[in-house]
Amino acid sequence: QVQLVESGGGLVQAGGSLRLSCVASGRTASSYVIGWFRQAPGKEREFVVDITWTGRSTYYTDSVKDRFTISRDNAKNTVYLQMSSLKPEDTAVYYCGAGDGRQYHFWGQGTQVTVSS
């Protein structure tokens, strides 16, 4: 299986930036599609963006376009989510998931992002 560990969350003022990391380990970890999801209090889990092992992103949800950027460093088995111009509505627990292109099979523990106004 694949193990995922997120880090980089924290408290930031509106307009600030954070970079989240998702480190994957385990069997053929670099071959997985990695997706970022978030869940705000009282809301459903929301897909944010994903990236293939080649570094191609397939989708950014509209609310984060032009503010968030996903990237991947296969040598480090790490996927990053650079978040800029953060808004209070970005406040959520952010999770990374690993899948095979059809389904997400593995999840990290989540990292809290809180944006103050």
Side-chain angles (χ1 to χ4, degrees), residues 12-75:
V12 65
Q13 292 183 332
S17 299
L18 286 172
R19 189 177 75 161
L20 306 183
S21 299
C22 175
V23 179
S25 62
R27 186 181 182 87
T28 62
S30 63
S31 68
Y32 281 87
V33 175
I34 302 296
W36 284 100
F37 298 76
R38 65 186 183 183
Q39 187 165 18
K43 295 185 178 180
E44 299 289 331
R45 185 181 65 180
E46 176 188 24
F47 173 84
V48 178
V49 65
D50 63 8
I51 190 168
T52 69
W53 75 275
T54 63
R56 176 177 58 87
S57 61
T58 61
Y59 178 77
Y60 285 87
T61 192
D62 286 344
S63 63
V64 307
K65 287 180 178 177
D66 301 318
R67 298 191 299 117
F68 291 10
T69 301
I70 192 169
S71 61
R72 186 167 189 165
D73 185 341
N74 287 340

Side-chain angles (χ1 to χ4, degrees), residues 5 9 16 37 101 104 109-110:
V5 179
F37 298 76
Y104 285 92
Q109 81 290 341

